[in-house]
Amino acid sequence: MSAVIRAADQGEDLEQRLSRARAALGAAERSAARWGGRIDRTALRAESLEQSSADDGLGLRLPVPGPLSSLFPRGSLRAGSSVAVEGGATTSLLLSLAVAAAGEDSWCAIAGMPDLGLRSAMDAGLDPCRLALAPVDGDQRPQVLSALADGVGVLVLGPDLDPAPALWRSLLGRARTADTLVLAASPPGRSDLTLRAAARGWTGLGQGSGRLRQRRLAVTAEGRGIAGQRAVEVLLPQVSGMIAEAPSGDRSGAASGTAAAGEQRPTMQLLPSVRRAG
């Protein structure tokens, strides 16, 4: 692998060298897969080539969506940690976090979301070639979840899963060993970080007409590495990337037709009845 990188021309930039290295690793990975081998692809992250502080001895750091970065210590997540998501827009927040953390190389598994289709996952930004939608309704639930925690980079546990506290603790232990990020909707036990979202209003609904197109959320974070509580406001869904930072100057959303919580609307009046002719 080092020979491939050394063979790159001096004029190549970081992205070109990274692309060449990934291509070589892909060929080696396909060859190793025939014999049941497994190659660690984290060595090809851009942070590694830049010799940055992605891994400072405390574990590999995973990216998060830009609008949510201020909620997390050092603006990233530690591989092998756990994040609980509660409140409104749970599915959208879970998918946004999963897309950012999985990146282009890691596998992502989703369990406990039976209504989530492949098209929705692709629209969120997940790679269908590295995505597993796992049904866990049978008696083999602990075995299936344990296997997923051992074998993927990002494990998403949806609101319909409702694992037992003992299973939750077991999954966290396996995830820490395998450097698997666990994202869970209202888990039955403690997690490293907890995000809570509350709706601040909708955009798109005018004076009794229109479509609900976008939601404004206030998201707070607390947990390990955070002193007190952090908060940020975001918009979702966003066509360009699922989630976007909310404009600080527009709190009412009146210009775009936001039906904000608690906003006073004109009262509806009934038209007077009309007597039929004849």
Side-chain angles (χ1 to χ4, degrees):
M1 187 56 59
S2 60
V4 175
I5 298 178
R6 286 197 302 268
D9 296 335
Q10 296 296 328
E12 289 184 336
D13 59 15
L14 175 63
E15 291 299 327
Q16 290 173 321
R17 288 187 288 129
L18 184 59
S19 177
R20 290 165 59 92
R22 280 176 175 160
L25 180 61
E29 187 178 45
R30 289 191 293 272
S31 177
R34 299 191 185 101
W35 305 96
R38 181 179 180 183
I39 295 178
D40 182 11
R41 300 179 63 92
T42 59
L44 287 186
R45 293 184 181 271
E47 295 86 353
S48 299
L49 292 179
E50 293 174 346
Q51 296 182 352
S52 67
S53 58
D55 189 349
D56 56 2
L58 300 178
L60 180 70
R61 308 297 299 188
L62 303 176
V64 297
L68 298 178
S69 59
S70 61
L71 297 177
F72 301 95
R74 298 174 55 195
S76 59
L77 281 169
R78 178 177 54 83
S81 63
S82 57
V83 180
V85 179
E86 303 175 355
T90 299
T91 299
S92 296
L93 289 176
L94 287 173
L95 293 180
S96 296
L97 292 171
V99 169
E104 299 179 357
D105 300 314
S106 295
W107 272 83
C108 176
I110 300 178
M113 292 186 181
D115 297 330
L116 179 68
L118 185 60
R119 178 66 185 184
S120 297
M122 293 174 61
D123 289 344
L126 289 170
D127 183 358
C129 297
R130 293 185 176 275
L131 174 65
L133 299 177
V136 288
D137 296 333
D139 296 334
Q140 302 299 317
R141 173 188 293 188
Q143 291 84 346
V144 172
L145 293 177
S146 297
L148 293 176
D150 289 337
V152 300
V154 180
L155 176 58
V156 180
L157 305 179
D160 294 338
L161 186 61
D162 191 23
L167 178 57
W168 171 250
R169 293 190 296 269
S170 174
L171 291 177
L172 294 188
R174 287 179 173 271
R176 282 191 293 267
T177 302
D179 278 346
T180 298
L181 175 66
V182 179
L183 307 172
S186 302
R190 298 185 61 181
S191 58
D192 295 317
L193 294 173
T194 299
L195 302 186
R196 293 184 176 89
R200 287 290 183 263
W202 285 88
T203 300
L205 186 62
Q207 300 290 337
S209 64
R211 294 183 178 180
L212 296 177
R213 299 182 180 276
Q214 199 174 64
R215 180 169 18 176
R216 190 184 190 108
L217 291 178
V219 186
T220 61
E222 60 183 4
R224 183 173 300 177
I226 298 177
Q229 191 178 80
R230 300 182 182 181
V232 69
E233 288 199 3
V234 296
L235 297 175
L236 60 88
Q238 185 76 3
V239 176
S240 60
M242 277 293 294
I243 191 169
E245 185 177 357
S248 58
D250 181 15
R251 295 296 179 181
S252 63
S256 56
T258 298
E263 183 179 356
Q264 296 295 326
R265 292 292 189 185
T267 58
M268 297 182 62
Q269 298 181 359
L270 297 177
L271 295 176
S273 60
V274 179
R275 180 180 297 178
R276 181 177 299 177

